[in-house]
Amino acid sequence: MTSERAFTLDDTEVEFEPGDSLLTAALASDRYIPHLCAHPDFSPHGSCRVCLVEVDGHNRPACTTAAQPGMTIRSDIEPINVMRRQLLQLLFVEGNHFCPSCEQSGQCQLQATVYTVGMTDLHYPPLGPRRELDASHPDLLLDRDRCIGCELCVKASSEVDQKHIFSLGGRGTHTQLIVNSEHNQLGETDMTPDDRAAHICPVGVILFKTGNYAQPTGQRLYDQQPISAIGNHRAEDVDLPPTP
Ligand code: FES
């Protein structure tokens, strides 16, 4: 019998708490729904659309859709996975994501999600953005060409660190990460390697200048098991680079 506070996800019952989104309820029940911009510590942003699911026949983002009793959710079905692959392909061509040469390979949520949904090519022509690389900070580096616009660093810096160091500027494919300082340079801010914002990037934009290969590639979180088996467990929780 279906619980009064439960919905069906791909034919399995998922119970939820009041206020849960479809995504938070699914992850709390160890049911993986692909997602990028959502984070358990912050309000959902709803920008990446990778968490798209079919809700009673309509496509909705799981991170911003409130769980309701009796909903029928389909996530791991081919039409939804096709759309996820297209969204991920667009993210890939809008940035520079050369995984084999990226310091975050094996602990990048974008790379791990691509593997899980079976994206095997770019499909679209790469746009080859050239956004400014910022090496002005003594301990941290910003590679803006990898930004997926999730705003997690913006939220972490303002809501946790209380520093308001980051924002997003521009529109569409010209959107890029802005440093709120006179010359848009991280070295002009009081950001430190201990800030939450320094650890929250799900891709490889905010990097430490030292210690990135302390854990060798091939032995990292998503090298060892697919992100679908880890759910809410994120690389930032287990793989913090040593403070320089
Ligand atoms: Fe839901 Fe990005 S995780 S829109």
PDB file of all heavy atoms in Angstrom, residues 74-91:
ATOM      1  N   ARG A  74       8.854   9.684 -13.577  1.00  0.00           N
ATOM      2  CA  ARG A  74       9.710   8.804 -14.371  1.00  0.00           C
ATOM      3  C   ARG A  74      10.998   9.548 -14.662  1.00  0.00           C
ATOM      4  O   ARG A  74      10.975  10.676 -15.166  1.00  0.00           O
ATOM      5  CB  ARG A  74       8.995   8.383 -15.646  1.00  0.00           C
ATOM      6  CG  ARG A  74       7.701   7.621 -15.306  1.00  0.00           C
ATOM      7  CD  ARG A  74       7.273   6.713 -16.408  1.00  0.00           C
ATOM      8  NE  ARG A  74       6.944   7.442 -17.611  1.00  0.00           N
ATOM      9  CZ  ARG A  74       6.778   6.860 -18.800  1.00  0.00           C
ATOM     10  NH1 ARG A  74       6.916   5.553 -18.923  1.00  0.00           N
ATOM     11  NH2 ARG A  74       6.479   7.571 -19.850  1.00  0.00           N
ATOM     12  N   SER A  75      12.103   8.940 -14.302  1.00  0.00           N
ATOM     13  CA  SER A  75      13.401   9.601 -14.456  1.00  0.00           C
ATOM     14  C   SER A  75      14.320   8.834 -15.396  1.00  0.00           C
ATOM     15  O   SER A  75      14.870   9.396 -16.334  1.00  0.00           O
ATOM     16  CB  SER A  75      14.074   9.733 -13.075  1.00  0.00           C
ATOM     17  OG  SER A  75      15.371  10.240 -13.194  1.00  0.00           O
ATOM     18  N   ASP A  76      14.476   7.560 -15.156  1.00  0.00           N
ATOM     19  CA  ASP A  76      15.416   6.775 -15.954  1.00  0.00           C
ATOM     20  C   ASP A  76      14.706   6.170 -17.166  1.00  0.00           C
ATOM     21  O   ASP A  76      14.562   4.954 -17.291  1.00  0.00           O
ATOM     22  CB  ASP A  76      16.051   5.689 -15.086  1.00  0.00           C
ATOM     23  CG  ASP A  76      17.249   5.053 -15.777  1.00  0.00           C
ATOM     24  OD1 ASP A  76      17.715   5.628 -16.796  1.00  0.00           O
ATOM     25  OD2 ASP A  76      17.708   3.995 -15.320  1.00  0.00           O
ATOM     26  N   ILE A  77      14.228   7.055 -18.029  1.00  0.00           N
ATOM     27  CA  ILE A  77      13.580   6.605 -19.266  1.00  0.00           C
ATOM     28  C   ILE A  77      14.277   7.301 -20.429  1.00  0.00           C
ATOM     29  O   ILE A  77      14.840   8.391 -20.273  1.00  0.00           O
ATOM     30  CB  ILE A  77      12.063   6.918 -19.284  1.00  0.00           C
ATOM     31  CG1 ILE A  77      11.812   8.409 -19.039  1.00  0.00           C
ATOM     32  CG2 ILE A  77      11.323   6.062 -18.276  1.00  0.00           C
ATOM     33  CD1 ILE A  77      10.359   8.820 -19.192  1.00  0.00           C
ATOM     34  N   GLU A  78      14.241   6.692 -21.580  1.00  0.00           N
ATOM     35  CA  GLU A  78      15.055   7.173 -22.690  1.00  0.00           C
ATOM     36  C   GLU A  78      14.739   8.613 -23.116  1.00  0.00           C
ATOM     37  O   GLU A  78      15.665   9.409 -23.316  1.00  0.00           O
ATOM     38  CB  GLU A  78      14.966   6.200 -23.874  1.00  0.00           C
ATOM     39  CG  GLU A  78      16.009   6.438 -24.941  1.00  0.00           C
ATOM     40  CD  GLU A  78      17.457   6.480 -24.432  1.00  0.00           C
ATOM     41  OE1 GLU A  78      17.724   6.070 -23.278  1.00  0.00           O
ATOM     42  OE2 GLU A  78      18.328   6.942 -25.188  1.00  0.00           O
ATOM     43  N   PRO A  79      13.464   9.014 -23.249  1.00  0.00           N
ATOM     44  CA  PRO A  79      13.229  10.407 -23.667  1.00  0.00           C
ATOM     45  C   PRO A  79      13.846  11.424 -22.706  1.00  0.00           C
ATOM     46  O   PRO A  79      14.360  12.453 -23.133  1.00  0.00           O
ATOM     47  CB  PRO A  79      11.690  10.522 -23.682  1.00  0.00           C
ATOM     48  CG  PRO A  79      11.199   9.134 -23.768  1.00  0.00           C
ATOM     49  CD  PRO A  79      12.212   8.272 -23.088  1.00  0.00           C
ATOM     50  N   ILE A  80      13.791  11.144 -21.413  1.00  0.00           N
ATOM     51  CA  ILE A  80      14.390  12.059 -20.428  1.00  0.00           C
ATOM     52  C   ILE A  80      15.910  11.996 -20.520  1.00  0.00           C
ATOM     53  O   ILE A  80      16.592  13.030 -20.489  1.00  0.00           O
ATOM     54  CB  ILE A  80      13.907  11.679 -19.004  1.00  0.00           C
ATOM     55  CG1 ILE A  80      12.408  11.951 -18.859  1.00  0.00           C
ATOM     56  CG2 ILE A  80      14.711  12.413 -17.939  1.00  0.00           C
ATOM     57  CD1 ILE A  80      12.013  13.414 -18.827  1.00  0.00           C
ATOM     58  N   ASN A  81      16.465  10.820 -20.656  1.00  0.00           N
ATOM     59  CA  ASN A  81      17.919  10.719 -20.750  1.00  0.00           C
ATOM     60  C   ASN A  81      18.451  11.353 -22.035  1.00  0.00           C
ATOM     61  O   ASN A  81      19.552  11.901 -22.045  1.00  0.00           O
ATOM     62  CB  ASN A  81      18.354   9.255 -20.634  1.00  0.00           C
ATOM     63  CG  ASN A  81      18.341   8.786 -19.190  1.00  0.00           C
ATOM     64  OD1 ASN A  81      18.635   9.563 -18.280  1.00  0.00           O
ATOM     65  ND2 ASN A  81      17.987   7.523 -18.967  1.00  0.00           N
ATOM     66  N   VAL A  82      17.663  11.314 -23.117  1.00  0.00           N
ATOM     67  CA  VAL A  82      18.072  12.001 -24.357  1.00  0.00           C
ATOM     68  C   VAL A  82      18.177  13.499 -24.092  1.00  0.00           C
ATOM     69  O   VAL A  82      19.157  14.155 -24.486  1.00  0.00           O
ATOM     70  CB  VAL A  82      17.065  11.712 -25.493  1.00  0.00           C
ATOM     71  CG1 VAL A  82      17.257  12.679 -26.661  1.00  0.00           C
ATOM     72  CG2 VAL A  82      17.213  10.274 -25.975  1.00  0.00           C
ATOM     73  N   MET A  83      17.184  14.061 -23.403  1.00  0.00           N
ATOM     74  CA  MET A  83      17.221  15.506 -23.111  1.00  0.00           C
ATOM     75  C   MET A  83      18.391  15.840 -22.193  1.00  0.00           C
ATOM     76  O   MET A  83      19.066  16.858 -22.382  1.00  0.00           O
ATOM     77  CB  MET A  83      15.896  15.946 -22.485  1.00  0.00           C
ATOM     78  CG  MET A  83      14.819  16.161 -23.513  1.00  0.00           C
ATOM     79  SD  MET A  83      13.348  16.897 -22.833  1.00  0.00           S
ATOM     80  CE  MET A  83      12.425  15.431 -22.451  1.00  0.00           C
ATOM     81  N   ARG A  84      18.649  14.991 -21.208  1.00  0.00           N
ATOM     82  CA  ARG A  84      19.798  15.241 -20.321  1.00  0.00           C
ATOM     83  C   ARG A  84      21.093  15.229 -21.110  1.00  0.00           C
ATOM     84  O   ARG A  84      21.968  16.068 -20.900  1.00  0.00           O
ATOM     85  CB  ARG A  84      19.841  14.170 -19.225  1.00  0.00           C
ATOM     86  CG  ARG A  84      18.768  14.322 -18.185  1.00  0.00           C
ATOM     87  CD  ARG A  84      18.896  13.221 -17.152  1.00  0.00           C
ATOM     88  NE  ARG A  84      17.842  13.319 -16.159  1.00  0.00           N
ATOM     89  CZ  ARG A  84      17.189  12.284 -15.656  1.00  0.00           C
ATOM     90  NH1 ARG A  84      17.491  11.051 -16.046  1.00  0.00           N
ATOM     91  NH2 ARG A  84      16.250  12.462 -14.766  1.00  0.00           N
ATOM     92  N   ARG A  85      21.216  14.283 -22.020  1.00  0.00           N
ATOM     93  CA  ARG A  85      22.457  14.226 -22.815  1.00  0.00           C
ATOM     94  C   ARG A  85      22.613  15.495 -23.650  1.00  0.00           C
ATOM     95  O   ARG A  85      23.705  16.033 -23.764  1.00  0.00           O
ATOM     96  CB  ARG A  85      22.457  12.978 -23.712  1.00  0.00           C
ATOM     97  CG  ARG A  85      22.737  11.705 -22.946  1.00  0.00           C
ATOM     98  CD  ARG A  85      23.115  10.559 -23.868  1.00  0.00           C
ATOM     99  NE  ARG A  85      21.991   9.976 -24.557  1.00  0.00           N
ATOM    100  CZ  ARG A  85      21.205   8.998 -24.062  1.00  0.00           C
ATOM    101  NH1 ARG A  85      21.451   8.500 -22.871  1.00  0.00           N
ATOM    102  NH2 ARG A  85      20.206   8.522 -24.772  1.00  0.00           N
ATOM    103  N   GLN A  86      21.500  15.988 -24.211  1.00  0.00           N
ATOM    104  CA  GLN A  86      21.582  17.221 -25.012  1.00  0.00           C
ATOM    105  C   GLN A  86      21.989  18.407 -24.139  1.00  0.00           C
ATOM    106  O   GLN A  86      22.810  19.232 -24.543  1.00  0.00           O
ATOM    107  CB  GLN A  86      20.238  17.498 -25.687  1.00  0.00           C
ATOM    108  CG  GLN A  86      19.946  16.517 -26.817  1.00  0.00           C
ATOM    109  CD  GLN A  86      18.529  16.615 -27.336  1.00  0.00           C
ATOM    110  OE1 GLN A  86      17.639  17.157 -26.679  1.00  0.00           O
ATOM    111  NE2 GLN A  86      18.298  16.084 -28.525  1.00  0.00           N
ATOM    112  N   LEU A  87      21.422  18.498 -22.936  1.00  0.00           N
ATOM    113  CA  LEU A  87      21.791  19.587 -22.032  1.00  0.00           C
ATOM    114  C   LEU A  87      23.269  19.515 -21.655  1.00  0.00           C
ATOM    115  O   LEU A  87      23.974  20.526 -21.619  1.00  0.00           O
ATOM    116  CB  LEU A  87      20.931  19.522 -20.758  1.00  0.00           C
ATOM    117  CG  LEU A  87      19.455  19.894 -20.931  1.00  0.00           C
ATOM    118  CD1 LEU A  87      18.635  19.412 -19.741  1.00  0.00           C
ATOM    119  CD2 LEU A  87      19.311  21.403 -21.092  1.00  0.00           C
ATOM    120  N   LEU A  88      23.737  18.308 -21.411  1.00  0.00           N
ATOM    121  CA  LEU A  88      25.155  18.140 -21.046  1.00  0.00           C
ATOM    122  C   LEU A  88      26.065  18.435 -22.240  1.00  0.00           C
ATOM    123  O   LEU A  88      27.141  19.016 -22.076  1.00  0.00           O
ATOM    124  CB  LEU A  88      25.378  16.715 -20.521  1.00  0.00           C
ATOM    125  CG  LEU A  88      24.718  16.437 -19.160  1.00  0.00           C
ATOM    126  CD1 LEU A  88      24.658  14.943 -18.891  1.00  0.00           C
ATOM    127  CD2 LEU A  88      25.471  17.147 -18.043  1.00  0.00           C
ATOM    128  N   GLN A  89      25.632  18.054 -23.432  1.00  0.00           N
ATOM    129  CA  GLN A  89      26.428  18.370 -24.628  1.00  0.00           C
ATOM    130  C   GLN A  89      26.541  19.876 -24.801  1.00  0.00           C
ATOM    131  O   GLN A  89      27.620  20.393 -25.131  1.00  0.00           O
ATOM    132  CB  GLN A  89      25.790  17.724 -25.864  1.00  0.00           C
ATOM    133  CG  GLN A  89      26.051  16.228 -25.937  1.00  0.00           C
ATOM    134  CD  GLN A  89      25.148  15.525 -26.944  1.00  0.00           C
ATOM    135  OE1 GLN A  89      23.993  15.899 -27.142  1.00  0.00           O
ATOM    136  NE2 GLN A  89      25.669  14.482 -27.565  1.00  0.00           N
ATOM    137  N   LEU A  90      25.446  20.594 -24.538  1.00  0.00           N
ATOM    138  CA  LEU A  90      25.494  22.056 -24.653  1.00  0.00           C
ATOM    139  C   LEU A  90      26.433  22.648 -23.610  1.00  0.00           C
ATOM    140  O   LEU A  90      27.208  23.561 -23.897  1.00  0.00           O
ATOM    141  CB  LEU A  90      24.081  22.638 -24.514  1.00  0.00           C
ATOM    142  CG  LEU A  90      23.176  22.387 -25.723  1.00  0.00           C
ATOM    143  CD1 LEU A  90      21.732  22.752 -25.402  1.00  0.00           C
ATOM    144  CD2 LEU A  90      23.665  23.182 -26.932  1.00  0.00           C
ATOM    145  N   LEU A  91      26.374  22.126 -22.392  1.00  0.00           N
ATOM    146  CA  LEU A  91      27.300  22.618 -21.359  1.00  0.00           C
ATOM    147  C   LEU A  91      28.744  22.374 -21.774  1.00  0.00           C
ATOM    148  O   LEU A  91      29.617  23.215 -21.562  1.00  0.00           O
ATOM    149  CB  LEU A  91      27.025  21.921 -20.021  1.00  0.00           C
ATOM    150  CG  LEU A  91      25.818  22.405 -19.218  1.00  0.00           C
ATOM    151  CD1 LEU A  91      25.658  21.558 -17.966  1.00  0.00           C
ATOM    152  CD2 LEU A  91      25.994  23.873 -18.838  1.00  0.00           C
TER     153      LEU A  91
END
